Amino acid sequence: MKYLFLTITFSFLQLTYSQENKSITGSITHKTATIEKASIEILGTNYIKQTDNNGIYAFSDVPQGNYKIEVSAAGFKTQRKNISIQVAKQIQLNFELQTEDNELNEVVVSGTLKAIKRLESAVPVEVYTPVFFKKNPTASIYEALQNVNGVRPQLNCGVCNTGDIHINGLEGPYTSVMIDGMPIVSSLSTVYGLSGIPNSLVERIEIVKGPASSLYGSEAVGGLINIITKNPTNAPLFSADVFTTSWLETNADLGVKFNISKKATSLLGLNYYNYNQKIDNDNDGFTDVTAQNRISVFNKWNFNRAQNRLFTLAVRGMYEDRWGGDVRWEKKYRGGDEIYGESIYTKRGELLGTYQLPTTEKLMLSFSGNVHFQDSRYGTTSYIANQKIAFLQLTWDKKIGKNDLLTGIASRYTYYDDNTQSTALLNENNPEKTWLPGIFVQDEIAFSEKHKILLGLRYDYNSIHGNIVTPRFAYKLKINANNILRFNAGTGFRVVNLFTEDHAALTGSRQVEIAHNLNPEKSVNANLNYIKKVYFDNGTFLGIETTAFYTQFSNKIVSDYATDPNKIIYDNIDGYALSQGISCNTDINFTNGLKFILGATYMDVSNVEKGIKTRPYLTENFTGTWTVSYKINPINLAIDYTGNVYSPMKLPLLSETDPRNPNSPWYSLQNIQFTYAGWKNFELYAGIKNLLNFTPKQNNPFLISRTEDPFDKNVQYDSNGKVLVTPQNPYGLTFDTTYVYGPNQGIRGFFGLRYNLY
């Protein structure tokens, strides 16, 4: 009996000890850099964590058993490890991740304003990392987006080469462009603000296609582009990326990390771009590409605080001097009527930050501010503008049972002044001052592992237009780990200032006329998204993401170029506008180093007035993108073949006698790059851009009309203001720069060098 009692007692103590909950800790790194906000999940359980600012994670109270742990982070390949928890009280488990550019399991923040694994988010978010953009190196974020499916950089001026970003056929003002979730790039800066963001400081770019106004407010009508910058803690000690082209375009991105103290780390970035050639390959007497001299400085700070609370602060300053026009133009002709030129000076400053309040609740204070000064001459037309934007937002993140709540209050103040009639009242200057306070709530409810819904509602009060309400609904069905179905619906709104968004209104080649008081644009949007992942036995990975989308606009503002060739007439549409279609992204990774990233979007974009359906200018029906990559590991060589293809677009002609094509042709921009990485910390790359040597001038007699008479000194009109056909003006045209749909830059080579010191 004594031995039996001892045996039972020993067995009970052993069982009690073995069932005692254990802890798992570790770090997530890439090379020597730690990875912040990486997601760590014990599969098949509710244990999910994120790494802190130092790349550390910890699980406590984990029962004994055999588990599989999965780690994922934006820009890195997902990694899984098996672990057996038996007797040890604490287990150290570290992960070193490898970079990846097309994994479907990144951590994203743009869809719900909080970090979440992309496959777990009820809102579909596309993620693109520097690895993707390095396959076709560019000098700006604007150019870099040309290989993203459903996204098209659109040139709006054939002389100064300014542009915007189209998503699913919708013009740039319908897309909100943010830096670290702050509304930095908006209004006046949609024309020039996308330049000068150092690519070397970009951690990833998140794109939401569809309504985001319930979280982000005005401008997020058709989509959202969120540029996430690197955390200074995770950045290399020094990075450099310098390249030049055969057209003598030179771009330099530099980054330096400073460990100021144990509690503060700073990342300083510099972007410099210079192009000063007068190339006129289409022989129209005007520059094919705008000359630019741009410098941008970016400085971001990360502060380590108690309990890993967040505090980041960043500033950016940018100056740009660009001009295009007659190849004989010099600065002494600026603003005059002797030699035509478009000259733009831009000065811009930005401040943004996030501070987690020292409370038991998760309260996050975000703030941003920017000032933008522009001094422009479009021929003899002067456009001098000054814009200031201040933004403040407080959010509360709280989990209550199955409810993951996010509520917040926000306020934005916009000051805008220029020398046009848009800010004049009774011939006196009257700057526009707009307050836009708002409050929003979002509830993500996880009914089970398979079913999740998201409910959102935002209320804003515009000091000019009054009350605006934007609801949102999302549903996610996780059929299994490799099949995800999502449905999203919501509304959006946008308050318009034409002079800050439509470059055609500023060129001086046409007079602007506003038919009536313009009302805010509103939209209703729905999309259905399906993700399929397939892992083959031989190690090949296939990822397919398909989205069907539908957006209907009311009060859409349209520009009428046809009624009067000397005017652009703006008015709210008397009806509605549609953007609908389907897109598909496919990722294929073979074990031999061959990778495909393929995208295609078919869309129907139209304006419907009085039952008549018309197609807007500069909207394609089909766009396709591809990236084909192959790594030859024995010789450390990577080959990247990238490209896009666009279907015809309707183009703005000046009259029935205009000899230019009314529609663009099918066209494709294709590039190839070779990258050698055989030297430690170095990458040497070279290639060819625009392999097919496509330019819009092909099959057209000219692009810019009447470059020989840019001030219309020899144009004659009849009594109704119609341009007369004369021997000096055989087509009855005026000077016009709005006939443009693609970059007017042909084939060119490029060569560059990257260096990263960790």
Side-chain angles (χ1 to χ4, degrees), residues 682-693:
F682 282 94
E683 285 185 351
L684 185 68
Y685 59 94
I688 300 174
K689 289 180 177 289
N690 197 356
L691 284 165
L692 303 181
N693 196 28

Side-chain angles (χ1 to χ4, degrees), residues 84 89 105 122 159 184 224 334 365 379 386 406 415 479 489 500 586 613 616 645 677 703 741 743 758:
S84 178
K89 292 217 170 187
N105 214 23
V159 174
I184 290 294
L224 170 76
R334 191 174 194 262
L365 181 67
N386 173 12
L406 180 73
Y415 171 93
I479 302 170
T500 67
T586 303
K613 184 177 180 180
V645 61
L703 290 176
Y741 58 91
Y758 290 92

Side-chain angles (χ1 to χ4, degrees), residues 376-401:
S376 311
R377 301 293 186 277
Y378 302 94
T380 58
T381 300
S382 171
Y383 177 66
I384 302 173
N386 173 12
Q387 178 178 272
K388 302 179 180 70
I389 297 177
F391 177 80
L392 187 66
Q393 177 174 276
L394 178 65
T395 59
W396 176 47
D397 188 353
K398 181 72 173 180
K399 287 187 177 182
I400 304 175

Side-chain angles (χ1 to χ4, degrees), residues 547-611:
T547 303
F549 56 90
Y550 176 90
T551 303
Q552 178 173 313
F553 290 90
S554 58
N555 294 338
K556 183 181 180 183
I557 294 173
V558 294
S559 54
D560 179 3
Y561 290 83
T563 300
D564 189 331
N566 296 306
K567 294 180 179 180
I568 308 174
I569 303 172
Y570 293 98
D571 199 0
N572 289 109
I573 192 172
D574 183 16
Y576 60 93
L578 290 176
S579 172
Q580 55 189 339
I582 187 168
S583 69
C584 181
N585 291 319
T586 303
D587 300 344
I588 309 173
N589 295 348
F590 296 96
T591 55
N592 62 357
L594 181 63
K595 298 182 180 181
F596 292 86
I597 304 175
L598 310 174
T601 299
Y602 173 79
M603 52 197 160
D604 174 22
V605 181
S606 59
N607 297 328
V608 182
E609 292 186 271
K610 300 178 182 178

Side-chain angles (χ1 to χ4, degrees), residues 201 254-258 266-270 297-300:
L201 297 183
L254 304 176
V256 182
K257 180 171 75 172
F258 300 95
S266 175
L267 178 61
L268 179 66
L270 172 70
V297 179
F298 183 92
N299 189 206
K300 185 174 183 179

Side-chain angles (χ1 to χ4, degrees), residues 307 309 356-363 396-398:
Q307 301 179 16
R309 292 191 178 99
Q356 185 175 352
L357 300 183
T359 62
T360 55
E361 298 293 334
K362 191 173 182 180
L363 294 171
W396 176 47
D397 188 353
K398 181 72 173 180

Side-chain angles (χ1 to χ4, degrees), residues 376-662:
S376 311
R377 301 293 186 277
Y378 302 94
T380 58
T381 300
S382 171
Y383 177 66
I384 302 173
N386 173 12
Q387 178 178 272
K388 302 179 180 70
I389 297 177
F391 177 80
L392 187 66
Q393 177 174 276
L394 178 65
T395 59
W396 176 47
D397 188 353
K398 181 72 173 180
K399 287 187 177 182
I400 304 175
K402 296 181 178 180
N403 297 271
D404 193 350
L405 290 166
L406 180 73
T407 63
I409 55 175
S411 184
R412 177 158 52 173
Y413 171 76
T414 302
Y415 171 93
Y416 175 75
D417 189 21
D418 65 23
N419 63 331
T420 73
Q421 289 300 311
S422 66
T423 57
L425 181 64
L426 300 176
N427 295 323
E428 292 186 4
N429 189 42
N430 183 42
E432 185 178 279
K433 303 173 184 178
T434 307
W435 282 98
L436 189 64
I439 184 170
F440 60 89
V441 60
Q442 173 183 276
D443 187 10
E444 197 167 14
I445 308 170
F447 293 101
S448 66
E449 186 179 353
K450 289 188 174 182
H451 300 280
K452 180 184 290 187
I453 68 169
L454 182 144
L455 303 173
L457 183 67
R458 182 182 181 111
Y459 166 78
D460 290 275
Y461 179 79
N462 185 282
S463 58
I464 297 176
H465 299 286
N467 303 315
I468 303 172
V469 178
T470 49
R472 184 188 199 186
F473 170 80
Y475 168 71
K476 190 198 76 167
L477 171 62
K478 185 177 181 181
I479 302 170
N480 53 48
N482 297 323
N483 292 272
I484 309 292
L485 183 68
R486 299 182 179 96
F487 173 77
N488 276 258
T491 65
F493 76 96
R494 190 174 77 91
V495 179
V496 179
N497 186 327
L498 296 176
F499 291 88
T500 67
E501 297 167 348
D502 191 344
H503 175 268
L506 306 173
T507 61
S509 60
R510 290 182 182 232
Q511 179 183 348
V512 173
E513 181 177 304
I514 300 175
H516 304 92
N517 289 331
L518 299 178
N519 296 317
E521 297 181 337
K522 297 180 181 180
S523 72
V524 177
N525 179 287
N527 64 67
L528 185 65
N529 173 269
Y530 175 66
I531 289 181
K532 172 73 173 180
K533 297 192 299 178
V534 181
Y535 296 92
F536 294 94
D537 293 338
N538 64 356
T540 299
F541 168 77
L542 171 65
I544 302 175
E545 181 171 1
T546 303
T547 303
F549 56 90
Y550 176 90
T551 303
Q552 178 173 313
F553 290 90
S554 58
N555 294 338
K556 183 181 180 183
I557 294 173
V558 294
S559 54
D560 179 3
Y561 290 83
T563 300
D564 189 331
N566 296 306
K567 294 180 179 180
I568 308 174
I569 303 172
Y570 293 98
D571 199 0
N572 289 109
I573 192 172
D574 183 16
Y576 60 93
L578 290 176
S579 172
Q580 55 189 339
I582 187 168
S583 69
C584 181
N585 291 319
T586 303
D587 300 344
I588 309 173
N589 295 348
F590 296 96
T591 55
N592 62 357
L594 181 63
K595 298 182 180 181
F596 292 86
I597 304 175
L598 310 174
T601 299
Y602 173 79
M603 52 197 160
D604 174 22
V605 181
S606 59
N607 297 328
V608 182
E609 292 186 271
K610 300 178 182 178
I612 300 175
K613 184 177 180 180
T614 59
R615 184 179 169 196
Y617 292 114
L618 299 171
T619 54
E620 69 278 15
N621 285 333
F622 175 83
T623 177
T625 58
W626 65 85
T627 299
V628 182
S629 302
Y630 182 65
K631 289 184 178 180
I632 308 175
N633 291 319
I635 59 174
N636 298 301
L637 183 68
I639 305 172
D640 297 299
Y641 170 52
T642 60
N644 49 52
V645 61
Y646 302 111
S647 66
M649 294 174 272
K650 181 181 176 182
L651 302 175
L653 299 182
L654 296 182
S655 68
E656 295 180 356
T657 56
D658 194 327
R660 295 172 293 184
N661 290 324

